[in-house]
Amino acid sequence: MTSQTPGQALTAALRTRLHIGSRTRRYRRSHDLFAAALAAIRRADMEDVLAPGYPVLWSWEMHVEGGRVDIEQRAYLTTLTAWDFTAILGDMIDAGVSSIGEGERYFADRAEADRQAWRNRPAP
């Protein structure tokens, strides 16, 4: 059996703890699963599998929630499903995001792809 990367382990742990499936939306009975995932990372102790998520947590809050990223990129990222959100958090860890500056580079590198995904989304 192959071992998981730290990002894959974080993604799997969040999905298990919050009961997130591939069709789970961001809100469950008016409960924001993005906020719940970030709170779970914030509450994790250093021995927990979620501990590597601290830099990712601060980077997400600073750049996406804080409005530092482009408006189209922010619109795309905040409309993801909970499944995709946890995947992005794991990808950030595996990409080596360990500070807010590295998070800025991460979001800058994926900015054009996020803008295109926002522009090409299906009409409601």
Side-chain angles (χ1 to χ4, degrees), residues 50-63:
L50 301 180
Y54 283 118
V56 169
L57 161 78
W58 301 124
S59 186
W60 178 272
E61 289 182 343
M62 183 72 71
H63 297 293

Side-chain angles (χ1 to χ4, degrees), residues 48-105:
D48 196 346
V49 70
L50 301 180
Y54 283 118
V56 169
L57 161 78
W58 301 124
S59 186
W60 178 272
E61 289 182 343
M62 183 72 71
H63 297 293
V64 179
E65 292 179 5
R68 287 187 173 185
V69 297
D70 178 81
I71 190 71
E72 285 182 315
Q73 185 180 19
R74 185 178 191 284
Y76 171 72
L77 292 171
T78 57
T79 58
L80 293 172
T81 63
W83 182 270
D84 292 334
F85 174 69
T86 58
I88 285 181
L89 295 180
D91 184 53
M92 289 174 73
I93 290 172
D94 290 340
V97 174
S98 61
S99 68
I100 292 173
E102 290 172 2
E104 183 175 2
R105 282 190 293 280

Side-chain angles (χ1 to χ4, degrees), residues 6 8 10 13 16-17 20 28 36-37 42 51 61 68 73 78 84 88 90 98 104-106 113-114 118 120 124:
Q8 290 170 335
L10 176 122
T16 301
R17 291 179 190 186
I20 295 173
R28 179 185 292 143
R42 194 175 286 114
E61 289 182 343
R68 287 187 173 185
Q73 185 180 19
T78 57
D84 292 334
I88 285 181
S98 61
E104 183 175 2
R105 282 190 293 280
Y106 176 84
D114 289 346
W118 176 250
N120 297 331

